[in-house]
Amino acid sequence: MRLALDEAADAERLGEVPVGAVVVLGEKVIGRGHNRVITDRDPTAHAEIVALRDAARFLNNYRLTGATLYVTIEPCPMCAGALIHARVARLVYGAADPRAGAVASLFELCTDARLNHRVEVRAGVLEAECREMIQSFFQKKRAHARSERVEE
């Protein structure tokens, strides 16, 4: 999860929402990613998707059987769906996302028995650090927006 937090810090330096992800197979990191939605002008460039794409290129396979994805924030519906389609074995995430989380908060896509694959889930790893990073980012953005309104 520390590597995912490093990726999230990279996203923040780019002005992106600080979410980071890494894909691990065995003891080896095979994929890394951080939010690149603004940078790439791509609504699908969430940290999880970027990391899954990186891992798939590394393995030369769209299936990531046996892999674990570590991500700082609970995945959204798009990213949870991608985990299922990639056949990721395990998801480890830091902080819950009560507004968009599709693993436990709003939906339970990764463990839904109606789907053709289920992902083992572990939540709350380095939760306080993951939550603090994203909350701090949005607090700074709100403060900046307020200061710009005052200047007008």
Side-chain angles (χ1 to χ4, degrees):
M1 188 61 76
R2 295 258 178 238
L3 294 175
L5 281 162
D6 290 345
E7 288 291 329
D10 289 345
E12 186 168 18
R13 282 189 283 281
L14 292 172
E16 301 274 359
V17 175
V19 179
V22 294
V23 180
V24 175
L25 186 60
E27 299 294 316
K28 184 173 181 60
V29 174
I30 61 168
R32 296 173 180 266
H34 53 267
N35 273 1
R36 298 187 52 86
V37 174
I38 298 164
T39 304
D40 292 353
R41 296 171 191 83
D42 178 357
T44 69
H46 290 196
E48 300 94 324
I49 301 297
V50 174
L52 291 173
R53 288 174 178 159
D54 193 37
R57 278 190 298 273
F58 179 85
L59 293 178
N60 198 31
N61 193 337
Y62 69 106
R63 296 284 193 230
L64 303 177
T65 307
T68 298
L69 177 89
Y70 293 83
V71 63
T72 56
I73 301 297
E74 178 183 2
C76 72
M78 174 182 69
C79 294
L83 293 171
I84 293 162
H85 286 291
R87 304 299 192 268
V88 168
R90 190 165 173 248
L91 164 68
V92 179
Y93 69 89
D97 185 349
R99 292 190 172 155
V103 176
S105 295
L106 297 177
F107 308 104
E108 295 180 2
L109 291 180
C110 289
T111 56
D112 191 320
R114 296 170 295 178
L115 298 173
N116 63 336
H117 177 74
R118 277 158 295 292
V119 178
E120 178 188 332
V121 176
R122 179 166 177 219
V125 174
L126 299 181
E127 181 176 8
E129 290 177 56
C130 293
R131 184 183 306 108
E132 170 58 28
M133 180 174 271
I134 203 155
Q135 285 177 343
S136 173
F137 173 81
F138 284 114
Q139 286 168 353
K140 289 176 204 167
K141 281 200 86 72
R142 285 190 293 276
H144 181 71
R146 280 192 301 273
S147 71
E148 283 184 342
R149 284 195 301 273
V150 169
E151 291 174 9
E152 293 173 355

